Amino acid sequence: MDTTTQKKPLRVLPVGARDAMEALNAEAGPLNIWLRTQANSPAQRPWFKETEIQTEGELSSGRVGVAQMKTRAHIWRWTEISPYLDKIAKIASTADISPIEFADRQQFLLTNPGLGGRLQVTNSMRCAVSIYNEGDRAPVHVHSPNASRTILSNSGGYTMVEGERCEASRGDLILTPNGTWHDHGNDSGEPVVWMDVLDWPVLEFLDCIWLDDDFEGDAGEHPRSQKMTHASGHSARLYGAGGLMPTFAPAQRGFGHATSPMVHYKGVDIRRSLNDLRGEQGDAYEGVSLRFVNPVTGGPVFPTMDYGAQLLRPGERTQAKRETSSTLYTVLEGSGYTDIGGKRFEWSKNDIFVVPNFTWRVHGNLSASEDAVLYSVSDRALMQRIGQYRAQGRGADDQVIALA
């Protein structure tokens, strides 16, 4: 019996496609996006002793601190970056390999201008924007990072998570927790666009990144996919009632740990919940806000990342707040602004922006008649687990108060 281990050949972009992508990367670089191809001294001054609005995390002058890279406040405007999705898709369609083989490369990653070209939006999170056209599929795989998809297109496409088919619609949040087999695809007639967020940098720093695509389960209709065993909405039917949980269902998906068994939060349900609460006073620092939670524990959906949604009513402006966690925001509805460290960033539909840790921020809705809806993901869950989460706010009298 031959026991020799057979290694899979690495898939490499052909020269023509690779050259086209690199040329496109040179063009896109100034927009802080990257098109996918294949210490002992304190680094932070005591932020909580500085209360000026312009103050953000400043580096110390120590041997380690002087070389520390800091997340910067930044906004990626959809009108500027979205055309590159079509350009990538065009290269894929004309490459000397099939678009299906190219499919899992049809994305660009956001790069924070403060992090020296690293493929990160903050020190703990990676973010990519992907497009899947009709017939595109990414192979079934499993990995150590936790990941999510926020759907930015109106409809089309799916993610299969441990056999549950999650049909994608705008505003949906689809989770692929660590240790869950999953695949993506689009069998509709319209392109699907979504935003991926992963805790990749944390696991990379800990030397704990791995990925496996040697799926041994039952294949679906396509050899790159897994067989559907649960229809769309399965985990929501089990855990989406709120305050009620089945006693017969597993509290864990896949072979990972400490993640939510509910993997599909539908945008229509999120919007309905926000709207039902619009008559409440809300939070002075967040507006009408919701937190996505693990329905079994009530804690965050991942041990490293915390997800939320918030509604700003017409003309609403929040009070200033800052936290030890960094936050990435996506604009689902409306137009408005966020003042970050005293600098104003105006945003509109599908724009993505980041608020660094230790930095004061204020949200405002510019419209006198329309709501604004923001989704957020932060490393608050990680900071809480290691005992480092703190938050401050500015009261009506501009006094700084402890919030957490």
Side-chain angles (χ1 to χ4, degrees):
M1 178 178 176
D2 185 5
T3 59
T4 303
T5 301
Q6 298 292 323
K7 291 187 177 181
K8 293 183 178 181
L10 293 175
R11 291 191 299 154
V12 180
L13 277 178
V15 174
R18 185 171 63 246
D19 289 347
M21 289 289 281
E22 291 303 338
L24 204 57
N25 256 327
E27 176 187 322
L31 298 177
N32 290 290
I33 60 175
W34 182 81
L35 282 53
R36 184 176 176 182
T37 51
Q38 286 201 292
N40 298 322
S41 175
Q44 179 65 45
R45 290 176 182 165
W47 65 279
F48 49 86
K49 290 187 177 179
E50 300 289 342
T51 60
E52 293 300 317
I53 200 72
Q54 294 85 1
T55 301
E56 55 185 318
E58 295 181 21
L59 296 177
S60 74
S61 57
R63 220 176 257 270
V64 175
V66 74
Q68 176 91 13
M69 288 186 286
K70 303 287 293 183
T71 299
R72 288 187 196 169
H74 188 72
I75 186 167
W76 292 267
R77 301 192 185 282
W78 191 247
T79 54
E80 295 177 343
I81 64 176
S82 61
Y84 285 92
L85 293 173
D86 294 329
K87 293 179 181 182
I88 295 170
K90 183 176 180 180
I91 293 173
S93 66
T94 58
D96 41 355
I97 55 175
S98 70
I100 289 178
E101 290 298 302
F102 203 101
D104 57 341
R105 294 181 179 87
Q106 291 186 84
Q107 67 174 206
F108 55 75
L109 287 89
L110 308 185
T111 60
N112 189 285
L115 297 179
R118 292 180 180 177
L119 302 180
Q120 300 170 206
V121 286
T122 73
N123 292 82
S124 63
M125 293 185 290
R126 171 180 285 189
C127 178
V129 179
S130 302
I131 184 171
Y132 284 76
N133 289 295
E134 182 179 7
D136 289 347
R137 292 180 178 87
V140 58
H141 59 284
V142 63
H143 46 61
S144 53
N146 295 294
S148 66
R149 271 129 227 111
T150 300
I151 312 304
L152 300 179
S153 53
N154 289 331
S155 62
Y158 65 87
T159 292
M160 193 90 75
V161 186
E162 289 290 317
E164 177 179 344
R165 184 179 171 96
C166 301
E167 300 280 355
S169 294
R170 181 168 177 79
D172 286 7
L173 177 68
I174 301 174
L175 307 179
T176 51
N178 76 85
T180 56
W181 286 98
H182 57 281
D183 52 276
H184 319 290
N186 186 4
D187 50 19
S188 71
E190 296 294 327
V192 61
V193 175
W194 58 55
M195 183 183 80
D196 307 84
V197 181
L198 304 90
D199 54 7
W200 185 287
V202 175
L203 298 185
E204 188 172 48
F205 177 78
L206 297 174
D207 192 21
C208 194
I209 291 289
W210 54 262
L211 182 146
D212 183 11
D213 59 5
D214 191 17
F215 182 64
E216 297 179 353
D218 293 335
E221 296 180 0
H222 191 277
R224 291 161 62 91
S225 63
Q226 58 185 305
K227 183 179 180 180
M228 184 180 75
T229 56
H230 302 294
S232 186
H234 170 71
S235 64
R237 284 190 291 274
L238 290 175
Y239 295 102
L244 299 171
M245 272 199 313
T247 58
F248 60 86
Q252 188 67 42
R253 305 293 292 274
F255 55 85
H257 297 287
T259 59
S260 174
M262 185 166 166
V263 296
H264 193 182
Y265 299 78
K266 290 185 175 292
V268 292
D269 297 331
I270 298 165
R271 188 62 174 92
R272 183 184 305 113
S273 296
L274 288 171
N275 196 59
D276 288 346
L277 295 171
R278 64 177 302 109
E280 303 293 327
Q281 181 176 352
D283 185 279
Y285 303 97
E286 305 289 355
V288 174
S289 58
L290 298 171
R291 187 184 187 194
F292 297 88
V293 299
N294 182 331
V296 177
T297 65
V301 296
F302 295 141
T304 49
M305 295 188 291
D306 207 76
Y307 290 76
Q310 62 195 108
L311 181 147
L312 300 172
R313 290 157 289 204
E316 186 169 11
R317 174 185 169 90
T318 67
Q319 292 175 206
K321 180 180 180 180
R322 65 177 174 180
E323 305 167 271
T324 52
S325 55
S326 296
T327 306
L328 184 71
Y329 290 92
T330 313
V331 183
L332 268 293
E333 290 182 34
S335 60
Y337 62 89
T338 299
D339 293 336
I340 308 173
K343 182 179 179 181
R344 178 157 296 194
F345 294 82
E346 293 193 358
W347 39 255
S348 56
K349 182 179 176 180
N350 283 3
D351 285 353
I352 302 166
F353 63 97
V354 65
V355 177
N357 55 353
F358 316 118
T359 309
W360 291 105
R361 60 107 177 108
V362 171
H363 299 304
N365 183 349
L366 284 172
S367 174
S369 59
E370 302 292 333
D371 292 336
V373 175
L374 302 174
Y375 281 14
S376 63
V377 54
S378 75
D379 52 12
R380 174 179 172 176
L382 176 61
M383 291 299 181
Q384 287 177 322
R385 281 180 176 266
I386 63 174
Q388 295 297 328
Y389 179 73
R390 294 181 64 179
Q392 290 179 329
R394 286 181 178 272
D397 55 1
D398 209 36
Q399 292 297 306
V400 175
I401 58 177
L403 300 177

